[in-house]
Amino acid sequence: MTRTQYEPDSRAARSALEIASEYADAALLNHSVRSYAFAVEYAREQGIAYDAELLYVSALLHDLGLAAPFDSHTLPFEEAGGHVARVFTAGLGWAPARRARAQEVIVLHMRDDVGAAEDAESHLLQVGTSADVSGLRVTEFDPSFTAGLLAAHPRLGFGAAFLALVEDQAVRKPACAAAGYVAGGAAARIGSNPLDR
């Protein structure tokens, strides 16, 4: 586990990277870091104020509900990941309201109808994950930024691996957001992501 250039300088951020490194494989971990980086760059370009520590912790933990130890048989993966974040941040001593925010950011990142004015961190995580998973808005980022990000945190077959994970979620939990994502053409969107060319 190596500290990333995008990581906020806080105990919570370092701990989130440590835990994500223990439970996520390299492809999923790199996705989480790239998602945060895309979110931060988008926020900079759009002039969106946000809580960097909250966003980073949420980004690093947002897909842990896909990791076998935390994969719930009943809850959508983003809800399971939200619970992981709530427990994790309790261990850091975060206040209940801040713990709830980490959970909320992770749950809401699966929705594209949360605006920056309503909830900056949830909006930014949705933008960051959508850029990395499907290539949404990725052509709007400076090519040198994207190239540097991919060099530092390579994809390692992430697209195909992530598609398999969400397809599995869709089969086992047909009412979840992942099922809607798969039914809405996830395979085509992930397959045409310019980040994989």
Side-chain angles (χ1 to χ4, degrees):
M1 173 197 62
T2 305
R3 187 177 186 279
T4 78
Q5 65 176 311
Y6 308 103
E7 181 183 325
D9 186 18
S10 74
R11 174 175 167 254
R14 290 187 293 275
S15 297
L17 179 59
E18 182 178 349
I19 290 299
S21 299
E22 288 181 18
Y23 285 101
D25 64 22
L28 199 60
L29 176 64
N30 283 0
H31 158 67
S32 297
V33 174
R34 288 192 308 268
S35 295
Y36 176 78
F38 277 124
V40 167
E41 183 67 6
Y42 177 81
R44 185 190 67 76
E45 292 174 352
Q46 301 297 317
I48 299 171
Y50 63 96
D51 181 325
E53 181 182 71
L54 174 62
L55 179 60
Y56 184 81
V57 168
S58 300
L60 267 286
L61 304 181
H62 83 276
D63 275 343
L64 287 190
L66 293 170
F70 305 115
D71 183 8
S72 170
H73 291 286
T74 57
L75 294 177
F77 80 90
E78 69 276 14
E79 291 184 22
H83 286 290
V84 171
R86 193 170 190 134
V87 171
F88 169 80
T89 54
L92 291 172
W94 283 19
R98 188 163 177 77
R99 296 196 303 261
R101 278 292 293 133
Q103 179 180 20
E104 181 179 45
V105 169
I106 291 171
V107 170
L108 293 182
H109 94 276
M110 289 294 287
R111 293 175 42 183
D112 61 6
D113 62 344
V114 179
E118 177 185 355
D119 181 341
E121 292 78 22
S122 297
H123 175 73
L124 291 172
L125 186 55
Q126 190 276 328
V127 168
T129 56
S130 295
D132 197 60
V133 171
S134 305
L136 187 65
R137 291 190 175 107
V138 80
T139 57
E140 298 172 18
F141 292 92
D142 185 310
S144 63
F145 163 80
T146 304
L149 181 60
L150 292 175
H153 304 281
R155 291 184 67 76
L156 306 175
F158 168 72
F162 185 76
L163 179 61
L165 288 169
V166 294
E167 287 178 336
D168 175 63
Q169 293 281 312
V171 169
R172 292 188 290 116
K173 307 168 197 177
C176 72
Y181 175 61
V182 169
R189 283 182 285 185
I190 290 173
S192 63
N193 188 338
L195 295 176
D196 288 323
R197 292 185 190 143

